[in-house]
């Protein structure tokens, strides 16, 4: 019941581009889009296996739940 499917909107792609263009993030385009959607949906946490995604989630005040 905690899963929500949300439509992608132009604002998600714009925010993802902004995140990916910042070289200090080291984000790939897909991960940037994932974070942009989570951020705009008001996510409190995000599951990831990726350290780069996890670091950037923390920058956006989204708690990374890492699986190893």
């Amino acid at each position: 019941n905690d899963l929500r499917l949300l439509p992608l909107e132009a604002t998600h792609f714009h925010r993802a581009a902004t995140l990916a263009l910042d070289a200090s993030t080291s984000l790939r385009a897909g991960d940037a889009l994932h974070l942009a959607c989570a951020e705009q949906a008001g996510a409190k946490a995000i599951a990831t296996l990726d350290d780069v995604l996890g670091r950037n989630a923390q920058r956006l005040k989204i708690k990374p739940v890492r699986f190893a």
Side-chain angles (χ1 to χ4, degrees), residues 22-45:
D22 180 353
S24 70
T25 68
S26 300
L27 281 169
R28 296 176 301 249
D31 289 340
L33 183 58
H34 193 169
L35 280 176
C37 292
E39 179 184 45
Q40 290 185 13
K44 303 288 184 223

Side-chain angles (χ1 to χ4, degrees), residues 17-60:
T18 302
L19 291 170
L21 282 173
D22 180 353
S24 70
T25 68
S26 300
L27 281 169
R28 296 176 301 249
D31 289 340
L33 183 58
H34 193 169
L35 280 176
C37 292
E39 179 184 45
Q40 290 185 13
K44 303 288 184 223
I46 192 168
T48 185
L49 294 168
D50 187 328
D51 289 334
V52 172
L53 184 97
R55 264 195 323 274
N56 283 282
Q58 284 181 313
R59 283 185 46 219
L60 299 176

